Structures are given as C-alpha cells and as structure tokens.
C-alpha cells in the first residue's frame, strides 16, 4: 500500500508538472533573454566608452553622483567600473594621467587595487600596502561614504581589531547613516565567517533595517544575514529570524516595479533565501519580478557559474510550483499582476550548506557589460 501511494503521488506530481509548467514558463523571460549584471541606462554608455579607452563618460557619471550625493548609485557604479578595469584598465590609466587628483578616478583606482589584493594569496600583506591609496580617495572627497566602505573592507581583510573597525564605522555613518555598502561591510565583519557570530550578524542587520527609511536598501540587511548563515552552514538555524528577514525583503521588493534593474541584486539574494526556506510560490513571484536581470551575487558564492545557477534554480522553482498546483487549479502567475511603479530611493544623501538546487558548471552563457565579478554592494570581497 505504501509503495502504491508513493507511485500515485509521483504520477500526480508528473501530471501537474506537465499541465502547469508551460504556463508558468510563459510568465518568465526565456533563458536566452536573461543576462548577468546588465548595466543600467546611466552606466552603459560609460562602459562602452571605457572599452574604447575613453574615460570621460565615466568621469562625468561619477562626478554627477558625487555632486548629487547619490551614494548608493555611486558605490554601485564605482564597483562596476572597477570590475571592468580589472581586465581592461587602459582607460583608467588615461584618466589618472590626465587628472591624477580627481576624486572619482582615485576612488576607482582604490576599489580596483583592493579587489586585486583581496584575491591574492598574500591578501593581508597586499592590503596593508593600500592604506595610503584609500586615505587619498577619502581625503579627495570628504563627504563621500564610499571610500569608508573601502576602508571597512580593507580593515576586515587586514585583521583589524574592533577598535579600529569601530572608528572607521563612525566615519562612514557620519557621512551617510543608512548607506547600504557600508552596512554590508560591517555585517561581513560581524559574521561568523569573520570576527563575529550569527547572532551578532542578525542583531546588527535587524537594528539597521529598523532604523532605515522606507525604500532604503538597508531594509533588507537581515536577508544578507540569513545568506551569511547559509553560506557558512554552521550553528543552529534561526528559522524565525530568516523568515522575518524574507518578509522584509518581500516588502522592499514590492516597493519597486517588476523588471527594474535597480533592486535586481536584492531580489536575486531574496529569491535564494526563499528557495532555501522552500517558499516556492513566493520565490517564483520574485523570479518574475527580477525579469531578465540576473546578478553575480549571490550565485557566484554558491556555484561556479552564476548565470547557470540562477537559471537552474529558476527552473527548479517553476517545477516545484507546478507539482504543487492542483490539476484543475490556477494561480496568478503569468496573468500580469504586479506592483505599480515605485520610487528609486537613495538613502545616502541625508557581498557550506549546499544550495537547494545545485547549479551546473561552465555554461558559458552571456553576460551584460563588463567582466562578471563579485562587485556591487552585496558582493564586496565575500
């Protein structure tokens, strides 16, 4: 009887999959339309020009973010430009030659140098050499929190003690109390993977999220804390805190239009946590909101090929939802429901357990502009 019931469940699940999977697939962009780390409409022209060894559009873009105190955008663009310069830095050399004291050029230079040092086997030694470079970037733009995010990452990599880290943190929040990148740097320092614990990591993330204004990316810091625990795979799993973190992430995602590239990294991270919690329908809805915008973080940290990890997880979620949908039932996927336009907030003005579905390796799928790396506020030197 037990064997018969198992067979019956398997047959019903297969029938549901066959019936519902095509409709669920129709609500999502085809695999070939999904790109990794696509540049937005402001960054794309700067990357195109950089490919032609012309730094002027990048210089104008970063100057605009600095003058307008667009700290979240500035942090993101600096990280993406440094990612591009990682393999093609002639345009950055030209920029520095023409304007050696330009605060924006110095910031990209420092970001690139820290990234290269972070990947060195002699990480701490290489990073210690870069202190003056980070100081120069901070001194060139006194009100900018992004050099202080770099300083926080630098402190983590050089094994700085709590006193040093706290003094850097004070400087960072003085410039932008809710800056996402600086909070990510602090959260990493406090994680069990580095110098803290899962409890400290969650405590910090939840308090910062409570203090953040509506629409701020800092509202999803607990999702980052949940991911950090999944990544290390150590300690008891605080399921209630992880579910509460997911709810915060869903609330923030709902404030932005579907298919918006700005919250794409946050949504990619959120969907990973939802999958780990087996919240299949919510995960599928987030994949629909993500649209074609896959991001390197978090998928690069849980598999060799981030785009393949994204697509295979999406396939697995779709199949799971199809298997759980009654043969005669329907759900809302593919029927065009979604959130209305939401504002793009920039809060600065005032990155062991196996994944639920193991990504395949080496697909060689397409990426957006630039080299796929671990840049971006969620993925700094994770």
């Amino acid at each position: 009887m037990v064997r018969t019931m198992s067979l019956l469940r398997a047959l019903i699940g297969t029938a549901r999959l066959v019936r519902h999977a095509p409709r669920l697939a129709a609500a999502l962009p085809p695999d070939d339309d999904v790109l990794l780390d696509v540049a937005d409409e402001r960054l794309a022209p700067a990357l195109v020009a950089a490919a032609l060894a012309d730094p002027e559009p990048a210089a104008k873009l970063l100057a605009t973010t600095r003058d307008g105190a667009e700290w979240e955008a500035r942090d993101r663009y600096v990280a993406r430009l440094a990612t591009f310069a990682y393999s093609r830095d002639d345009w950055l050399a030209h920029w520095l030659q023409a304007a050696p004291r330009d605060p924006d050029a110095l910031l990209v230079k420092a970001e690139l140098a820290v990234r290269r040092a972070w990947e060195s086997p002699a990480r701490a030694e290489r990073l210690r050499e870069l202190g003056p470079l980070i100081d120069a970037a901070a001194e060139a733009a006194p009100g900018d929190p992004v050099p202080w995010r770099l300083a926080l990452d630098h402190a983590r990599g050089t094994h700085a003690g709590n006193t040093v880290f706290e003094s850097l943190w004070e400087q960072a929040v003085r410039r932008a109390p809710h800056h996402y990148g600086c909070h990510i740097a602090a959260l990493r320092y406090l994680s069990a993977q580095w110098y803290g614990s899962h409890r400290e990591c969650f405590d910090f993330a939840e308090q910062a999220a409570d203090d953040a204004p509506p629409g701020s990316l800092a509202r999803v810091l607990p999702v980052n804390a949940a991911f950090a625990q999944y990544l290390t795979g150590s300690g008891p799993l605080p399921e209630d805190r992880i579910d509460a973190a997911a709810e915060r992430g869903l609330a923030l995602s709902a404030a932005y239009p579907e298919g918006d590239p700005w919250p794409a990294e946050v949504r990619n991270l959120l969907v990973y946590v939802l999958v780990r919690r087996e919240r299949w329908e919510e995960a599928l809805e987030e994949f629909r909101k993500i649209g074609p915008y896959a991001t390197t973080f978090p998928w690069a940290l849980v598999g060799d090929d981030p785009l393949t990890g994204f697509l295979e997880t999406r396939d697995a979620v779709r199949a799971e939802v199809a298997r759980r949908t009654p043969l005669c039932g329907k759900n809302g996927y593919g029927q065009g429901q979604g959130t209305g336009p939401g504002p793009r907030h920039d809060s600065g003005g005032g990155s062991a357990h196996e994944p639920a579905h193991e990504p395949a390796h080496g697909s060689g799928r397409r990426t957006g502009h630039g080299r796929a790396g671990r840049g971006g506020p969620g993925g700094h030197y994770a």
Side-chain angles (χ1 to χ4, degrees):
M1 176 62 75
V2 172
R3 183 178 300 176
T4 301
M5 292 303 295
S6 297
L7 176 59
L8 178 60
R9 283 194 293 268
L11 292 173
I12 292 173
T14 301
R16 290 173 173 176
L17 178 61
V18 170
R19 175 178 175 82
H20 298 300
R23 175 172 54 80
L24 296 176
L28 302 170
D31 286 4
D32 289 343
D33 289 350
V34 178
L35 298 177
L36 188 67
D37 297 334
V38 175
D40 67 19
E41 68 280 359
R42 300 174 71 188
L43 178 61
L47 291 174
V48 171
L52 301 174
D54 178 9
E56 185 175 354
K60 289 181 177 179
L61 174 62
L62 292 185
T64 298
T65 62
R66 176 166 44 86
D67 293 343
E70 299 177 65
W71 304 131
E72 303 293 6
R74 180 174 177 80
D75 200 358
R76 183 173 299 190
Y77 294 152
V78 165
R80 290 297 305 276
L81 288 165
T83 296
F84 187 86
Y86 190 96
S87 56
R88 299 188 63 177
D89 62 358
D90 50 343
W91 63 277
L92 179 57
H94 293 164
W95 186 4
L96 289 163
Q97 184 177 12
R101 297 184 179 179
D102 184 288
D104 308 314
L106 288 173
L107 183 56
V108 177
K109 179 183 178 181
E111 172 79 28
L112 176 60
V114 170
R115 183 169 304 181
R116 286 174 169 165
W118 198 271
E119 296 180 359
S120 168
R123 174 193 296 164
E125 292 78 4
R126 289 278 305 278
L127 284 171
R128 289 190 186 101
E129 298 170 358
L130 300 180
L133 187 60
I134 298 172
D135 291 343
E139 292 167 3
D144 183 1
V146 181
W148 296 97
R149 189 268 299 159
L150 265 179
L152 292 167
D153 288 327
H154 176 267
R156 176 164 55 98
T158 55
H159 312 296
N162 290 349
T163 301
V164 172
F165 196 89
E166 288 172 5
S167 67
L168 296 173
W169 173 249
E170 181 183 356
Q171 294 294 328
V173 297
R174 182 181 299 174
R175 288 159 174 81
H178 308 294
H179 183 248
Y180 183 59
C182 290
H183 279 78
I184 290 293
L187 188 148
R188 296 270 163 90
Y189 187 91
L190 292 171
S191 72
Q193 186 179 5
W194 289 93
Y195 308 115
S197 66
H198 295 309
R199 180 184 58 78
E200 291 174 294
C201 190
F202 267 106
D203 288 348
F204 171 81
E206 290 167 352
Q207 185 61 63
D210 288 341
D211 293 342
S216 169
L217 296 180
R219 291 268 186 161
V220 298
L221 285 167
V223 182
N224 287 271
F227 178 73
Q229 177 147 9
Y230 281 132
L231 198 63
T232 61
S234 61
L237 195 66
E239 295 182 354
D240 56 338
R241 299 183 90 167
I242 293 176
D243 283 331
E247 293 301 327
R248 291 179 187 263
L250 290 167
L252 184 77
S253 177
Y256 290 90
E258 60 190 61
D260 186 348
W262 179 257
E265 185 178 271
V266 166
R267 284 171 168 163
N268 275 251
L269 179 63
L270 172 60
V271 83
Y272 178 86
V273 172
L274 290 171
V275 168
R276 293 300 300 262
R277 294 298 298 141
E278 299 184 0
R279 295 171 64 165
W280 306 111
E281 292 192 0
E282 290 164 309
L284 184 60
E285 175 64 7
E286 287 307 306
F287 271 121
R288 193 179 66 80
K289 290 180 178 179
I290 289 167
Y293 299 117
T295 57
T296 294
F297 180 80
W299 310 106
L301 299 184
V302 295
D304 292 339
D305 185 329
L307 187 53
T308 294
F310 174 91
L311 292 173
E312 293 195 347
T313 303
R314 191 178 72 161
D315 287 344
V317 169
R318 186 171 56 206
E320 195 66 40
V321 172
R323 289 191 186 97
R324 292 166 180 264
T325 302
L327 282 171
C328 59
K330 295 181 179 180
N331 60 30
Y333 298 105
Q335 298 178 8
Q337 90 281 17
T339 61
R344 178 168 299 173
H345 298 276
D346 191 319
S347 65
S351 101
H353 280 306
E354 292 299 318
H357 301 283
E358 180 68 18
H361 306 308
S363 73
R365 295 182 183 271
R366 296 176 295 162
T367 64
H369 295 280
R371 173 183 176 273
R374 292 182 183 177
H380 286 303
Y381 327 117

